[in-house]
Amino acid sequence: MEPLGNDGAAEQIILRWDATASEDARVRMIFDGDRQEINRYLQAVDQIQRSMDSTTLSDDDQSTNVNNAIQIAMARLEDEFRNILITNSTPIETESVTDSISSTRLTTRTNSSRSESPENDDCTNRGEDDAVSRDGSSSFPERTERSATFSSCRSMTSIREQDLIPSESVADLRCIAERMFTAGYSRECVQVYGSVRKSVVDGSFKKLGVEKLSIGDIQRLEWEALNTKIGRWIRAAKVCIRVLFASEKKLCKQIFEDLGTAADDACFMETVKGPAIQLFNFVEAISISRRSPEKLFKILDLHDSLLDLLPDIDDVFDSKPAESIRTQATEILSRLAEAARGMLSEFEGAVLREPSRVPVPGGTIHPLTRYVMNYISLISDYKLTLGELIVSKPTTGSRYSDDSTTPDMDFTDHEGQPPLALHLIWIIAILQFNLEGKSKHYKDNSLAHLFIMNNVHYIVQKIKGSSELREMIGDNYLRTLTRIFRQAATNHQRATWVGVLRCLRDEGLHSTKTFSTAGVSKSSLRERFKSFNAIFDEVHRTQSLWLIPDEQLREELRISILETLIPAYRSFLGRYRNHIESGRHPENYIKYSVEDLETAVLDLFEGYAASQHSRRRSQ
């Protein structure tokens, strides 16, 4: 391209594109037209700028003309700058980006073999499990330091910069910015850039579902609504940090790098500071909100997501003007960690104080037991995260304390286990303590023992059903729990069947001291059979309504009962049947054959009244 020749020619080119003096200049944009025309205009601006910088201006009129020309040129370039930005200001296609990022598996800190909610309860085939899920949607029953190992949850893809504006347009924006900065119009250039790009970022925010909510708004939301927004925030934050903000930073560097003192960093913060603060204010509000146990797993999801993003936040917001964003993210991570610790403590207290006093019908598994065991199963899923956050042992009762509202617990048998494992053992201990208290509300001691057996057996099965949980709890404590439910089963049998078996003894049946069958008192024998029938009928009537939900445990207890009862009854019947059958109306006294008795025992613990036709009456 030929040189312009003199300042007059350069001024003429600039004045021809003065939008205030020409209708054609007002409706046309230089950078929408011919490339040669663009280059001539930029060359004219450069020549006028050189004239301003030189000391050869001969008179005031010439100086005024040059100053007027540069002002007109800067106004024009500002309009051109704005037009290029607006023309290329399309929000990011967040849907495809979100799908792409979401489909990238993290090196997870939770057990990926589990679903988003606890497994279906295979410890029972009756009733529905009062499961707590990761989203914390189930309420408590009966009462409605960056990590040194952050790489364990770091995405394998991390930052994904996109070209927000075509390269030719970026080059044009850079040409304009260079000239505006040289002429002293950097503030105007940055303001135009910030105003246009802010609206684009806001549009992308809206498409990602990031709402403008105050901290007060967030803290007033119902948990169900907030839970949904947390999931949306986790997905949106990945896109914002790794794509949206990273791409905006790249664009700023392409246009403004080396044009002034950290001009690109200033421009970047001008564009994204508001959205970034809005993004982090959401999770900050949650981190300082009221702590409740059902929020724990979403708090941990937020913690892991933010921990995963923290290296990328450091990369994207690495400048001095962005220091406040980095600091805020780090402080929020610390508050989330503290909130998680507090929520675990709240959960322990809630289990201990759970106040329901109405006995569950039939001595079956209490909703509290189901809730707590599903809750700690999820805790074991988050063992990597919580293992780093929980660094102190639980505060337990002392065997030397007079406090009867807290169980005694000595962790000397669990030396070497990490603090999180001790907290899980403590939660089970206080659950068992609470269940012992609830068992006292049963009027029948036998049913109280059955209740303890059912619930502790459920605890054992839940631990055995999770390799992670079993590893954390340890076999020593598992054996302790197994002894407890087996002892409860023994206590139940004693409380139930001692009275029944007493009827099958020989004492009190003989009219002489020889204990031979010849000296049997028939009246005493008839009374003994009547007592046996009455006591057994009552046991059968009541304990058929009781429930042992675990089929294997139910069969084991029935077999144990039969092994004690049947030999004793068979022997008693063999010794004394003839004395009854030789008298009048023997059927009034011998109601059961051995087979009838076996059939009747098999009616027990089904949870519903046994049919009178389910057993054969002896003939």
Side-chain angles (χ1 to χ4, degrees), residues 140-348:
F140 205 77
E142 307 298 336
R143 180 174 62 81
T144 307
E145 101 211 5
R146 299 171 191 167
S147 168
T149 59
F150 71 82
S151 59
S152 65
C153 70
R154 185 81 185 272
S155 167
M156 302 304 292
T157 53
S158 197
I159 290 175
R160 295 184 180 183
E161 294 172 342
Q162 290 191 356
D163 292 323
L164 302 178
I165 294 177
S167 57
E168 287 187 4
S169 297
V170 170
D172 289 340
L173 290 168
R174 172 77 183 188
C175 288
I176 295 171
E178 287 173 345
R179 286 156 178 82
M180 292 186 72
F181 270 70
T182 300
Y185 285 76
S186 58
R187 183 171 62 87
E188 290 81 355
C189 186
V190 169
Q191 285 178 345
V192 169
Y193 181 89
S195 66
V196 174
R197 292 307 303 174
K198 273 182 185 177
S199 66
V200 179
V201 173
D202 287 343
S204 297
F205 252 49
K206 187 174 181 179
K207 293 176 74 174
L208 285 167
V210 181
E211 303 173 62
K212 290 186 177 181
L213 298 171
S214 68
I215 289 179
D217 292 335
I218 293 167
Q219 294 185 339
R220 284 190 293 270
L221 284 172
E222 293 292 332
W223 174 241
E224 185 176 349
L226 186 57
N227 178 51
T228 300
K229 293 182 187 299
I230 288 173
R232 189 179 298 146
W233 184 92
I234 289 172
R235 292 188 296 273
K238 292 176 184 177
V239 176
C240 286
I241 300 298
R242 292 175 172 163
V243 180
L244 184 59
F245 295 163
S247 299
E248 287 292 338
K249 181 178 182 180
K250 175 185 176 183
L251 182 60
C252 284
K253 283 191 174 295
Q254 288 174 326
I255 298 172
F256 296 106
E257 190 171 27
D258 298 329
L259 293 187
T261 305
D264 52 334
D265 293 330
C267 246
F268 172 61
M269 287 307 296
E270 176 76 14
T271 304
V272 305
K273 185 174 183 179
I277 290 173
Q278 178 186 331
L279 183 72
F280 290 119
N281 278 351
F282 175 85
V283 68
E284 181 173 19
I286 293 173
S287 73
I288 62 176
S289 63
R290 185 179 68 86
R291 296 172 182 175
S292 54
E294 67 269 16
K295 296 179 181 179
L296 174 61
F297 302 109
K298 276 300 180 183
I299 290 294
L300 292 175
D301 286 341
L302 283 171
H303 177 277
D304 283 354
S305 295
L306 189 56
L307 182 63
D308 181 37
L309 287 169
L310 206 58
D312 299 320
I313 292 170
D314 284 346
D315 288 345
V316 173
F317 295 96
D318 61 349
S319 64
K320 182 67 175 177
E323 184 178 5
S324 62
I325 301 296
R326 299 195 305 275
T327 301
Q328 184 183 17
T330 305
E331 290 176 348
I332 291 171
L333 189 68
S334 177
R335 280 195 288 271
L336 287 172
E338 185 58 37
R341 286 188 284 266
M343 286 173 186
L344 184 62
S345 179
E346 288 282 334
F347 179 70
E348 293 170 354

Side-chain angles (χ1 to χ4, degrees), residues 501-509 522-533 572:
L501 294 172
R502 190 178 289 120
C503 295
L504 302 179
R505 295 186 301 177
D506 293 333
E507 287 86 349
L509 295 178
K522 288 190 176 182
S523 61
S524 297
L525 186 59
R526 284 193 289 267
E527 286 303 315
R528 185 66 63 84
F529 269 103
K530 287 173 67 175
S531 295
F532 174 84
N533 294 335
F572 188 82

Side-chain angles (χ1 to χ4, degrees), residues 585-605:
H585 305 297
E587 70 277 3
N588 290 340
Y589 306 105
I590 303 178
K591 292 178 63 176
Y592 296 97
S593 69
V594 172
E595 292 75 16
D596 291 336
L597 210 61
E598 290 177 341
T599 302
V601 169
L602 297 179
D603 288 338
L604 303 182
F605 316 125

